[in-house]
């Protein structure tokens, strides 16, 4: 099933570059432009103190909260030869730098762009698609785990042919640190990210819009220990040697994505899907490194032994605008399996070295948005999160970790 889905995504992305974080508000020459959006929300969790990918974990004794999910302020400027973009995120947790990059291009064409600085990794569809335009509250669990905060520091080349015959094509290649947006590069290796996307917006009398593409990520994580663990069908195998110190564990992903929108008498129907698989270096789950964080990408040199996991994940997003009303119905399903080698029923078995970092999760989301005004959007959304049962004491049954979100967004 997974292989079939991936093949369809590759053979079957970008809609509207204005909705990509890796671009200014406009490439037309302009002085300082200020844009942004604010997302304020109320959330109710099924249980107090749960771990969550819906805006972060809940406090130990709390199962509901008000929060500023995103407070983005974007400043950009463009002239004949270049653009500069600077974006911050201001929430109750403080102010963080989100984007800071310079783009160079020819004065008579934007078909070839050179980008340098802090920007979204050009992998797939949802990573670069702005959260200010996305109907669904959050990105899928698999992408939040592999690429937390989406950004990295490096340089990128983007090619979009001017020729009318090839205007549907976008190719991107980036060289990045691999340690995320806020960390120093902790080894001498650089990671390479590539994306090839296609879009067709004028099919079936301009009612059908299709986008699809494929991406790869080729990188590594330095191993500072004599021991590392490789995954098998029975758990992990321990590898110990003095020669392992300073070696590099592969961090390789490949993915495919598909977007379809059809404007019909019932409104507009949109379907989006993305699949990603590969090898992810992680660590063992501990009291301080719990659950999915064990397989999350590193912002600093890992202090414990590495665990190499083959993973896969995907999401399916379906949205339906209801006729010409302001309402859009949402339905989503995503799956993340951080270790495809081992069965969930064997996680926690003696001498398997498996932990909570190997557990498969699936999430069913459903809700509705209301476009209150040109700049204001209200979203009500519920996520039913299911983990497969294991032999680990805390994961013998499905956790009660569903989350309901009511969000108000203002974009300018």
């Amino acid at each position: 099933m997974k292989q079939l889905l991936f093949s369809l995504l590759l053979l079957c992305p970008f809609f509207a570059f204005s909705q990509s974080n890796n671009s200014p508000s406009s490439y037309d020459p302009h002085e300082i432009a200020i844009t942004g959006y604010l997302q304020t929300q109320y959330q109710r969790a099924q249980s107090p103190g749960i771990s969550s990918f819906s805006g972060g974990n809940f406090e130990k004794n709390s199962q509901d909260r008000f929060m500023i999910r995103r407070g983005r302020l974007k400043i950009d400027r463009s002239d004949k030869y270049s653009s500069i973009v600077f974006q911050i995120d201001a929430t109750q947790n403080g102010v963080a730098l989100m984007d800071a990059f310079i783009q160079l291009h020819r004065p008579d064409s934007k078909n070839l762009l050179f980008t340098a600085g802090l920007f979204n990794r050009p992998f797939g569809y949802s990573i670069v698609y702005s959260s200010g335009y996305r109907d669904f509250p959050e990105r899928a669990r698999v992408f939040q785990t592999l690429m937390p905060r989406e950004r990295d520091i490096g340089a990128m080349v983007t090619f979009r042919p001017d020729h009318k015959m090839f205007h549907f094509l976008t190719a991107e290649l980036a060289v990045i640190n691999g340690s995320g947006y806020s960390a120093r590069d902790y080894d001498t290796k650089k990671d390479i990210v590539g994306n090839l996307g296609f879009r067709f917006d004028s099919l079936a009398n301009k009612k059908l819009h299709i986008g699809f593409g494929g991406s790869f990520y080729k990188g590594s994580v330095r191993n500072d220990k004599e021991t590392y663990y490789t995954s098998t069908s029975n758990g992990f195998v321990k590898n110990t040697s003095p020669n392992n110190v300073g070696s590099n564990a592969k961090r390789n992903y490949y993915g495919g994505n598909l977007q379809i929108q059809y404007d019909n008498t019932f409104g507009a129907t949109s379907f989006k899907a993305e699949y990603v698989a590969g090898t992810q270096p992680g660590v063992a789950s501990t009291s301080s490194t719990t659950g999915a964080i064990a397989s999350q990408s590193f912002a600093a040199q890992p202090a414990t032994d590495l665990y190499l996991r083959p993973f896969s994940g995907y999401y399916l997003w379906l949205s339906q605008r209801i006729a010409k009303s302001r309402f859009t119905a949402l339905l989503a399903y995503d799956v993340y399996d951080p270790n495809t080698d081992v069965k969930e029923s064997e996680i926690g078995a003696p001498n398997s070295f498996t932990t909570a970092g190997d557990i498969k999760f699936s999430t069913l989301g459903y809700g509705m948005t209301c476009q209150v005004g040109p700049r204001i959007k209200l979203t009500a959304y519920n996520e039913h999160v299911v983990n497969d049962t294991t032999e680990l004491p805390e994961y013998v049954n499905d956790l009660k970790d569903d989350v309901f979100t009511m969000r108000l967004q203002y974009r300018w």
Side-chain angles (χ1 to χ4, degrees), residues 135-136 268 270 318-323 325-331 367-371 377-380:
D135 285 328
F136 296 87
S270 175
L318 179 65
S319 61
Q320 174 66 55
R321 183 181 176 188
I322 303 174
S325 73
R326 298 180 177 182
F327 296 93
T328 299
L330 307 176
L331 181 64
M368 185 168 289
T369 69
C370 176
Q371 196 68 42
K377 182 170 69 174
L378 181 65
T379 302

Side-chain angles (χ1 to χ4, degrees), residues 1-21:
M1 176 62 184
K2 295 175 182 177
Q3 288 80 3
L4 176 60
L5 176 62
F6 180 65
S7 299
L8 290 173
L9 294 179
L10 281 180
L11 295 174
C12 307
F14 299 108
F15 291 119
F17 257 76
S18 62
Q19 297 171 359
S20 168
N21 281 322

Side-chain angles (χ1 to χ4, degrees), residues 377-392:
K377 182 170 69 174
L378 181 65
T379 302
Y381 195 77
N382 190 67
E383 290 178 302
H384 176 55
V385 184
V386 177
N387 59 272
D388 288 355
T389 58
T390 72
E391 293 190 31
L392 296 171

Side-chain angles (χ1 to χ4, degrees), residues 62 116 118 142 189 206 210 213 215 250 254 277 317 332 369 379:
S62 174
L118 175 67
V142 60
K189 300 289 185 179
K206 298 185 178 181
I210 297 177
S215 304
K250 290 183 178 180
Y254 58 90
W317 289 347
T369 69
T379 302

Side-chain angles (χ1 to χ4, degrees), residues 268-398:
T269 304
S270 175
F271 174 75
K272 299 177 181 180
E274 194 161 359
Y275 176 79
V276 59
T279 302
Q280 174 74 345
V283 295
S285 180
T286 65
S287 57
S288 60
T289 308
T290 57
I293 298 177
S295 58
Q296 198 170 62
S297 296
F298 301 113
Q301 176 63 52
T304 58
D305 297 337
L306 290 181
Y307 282 63
L308 307 186
R309 297 180 173 97
F311 73 89
S312 69
Y314 64 88
Y315 68 80
L316 307 172
W317 289 347
L318 179 65
S319 61
Q320 174 66 55
R321 183 181 176 188
I322 303 174
K324 296 183 179 181
S325 73
R326 298 180 177 182
F327 296 93
T328 299
L330 307 176
L331 181 64
Y333 183 71
D334 72 73
V335 173
Y336 174 48
D337 188 351
N339 190 341
T340 56
D341 273 348
V342 65
K343 296 179 180 178
E344 263 59 33
S345 59
E346 298 173 350
I347 294 177
N351 301 317
S352 69
F353 299 107
T354 52
T355 68
D358 301 294
I359 299 176
K360 178 181 177 180
F361 280 82
S362 60
T363 303
L364 175 65
Y366 49 90
M368 185 168 289
T369 69
C370 176
Q371 196 68 42
V372 180
R375 300 181 182 277
I376 302 176
K377 182 170 69 174
L378 181 65
T379 302
Y381 195 77
N382 190 67
E383 290 178 302
H384 176 55
V385 184
V386 177
N387 59 272
D388 288 355
T389 58
T390 72
E391 293 190 31
L392 296 171
E394 62 271 37
Y395 292 92
V396 172
N397 299 307
D398 179 39

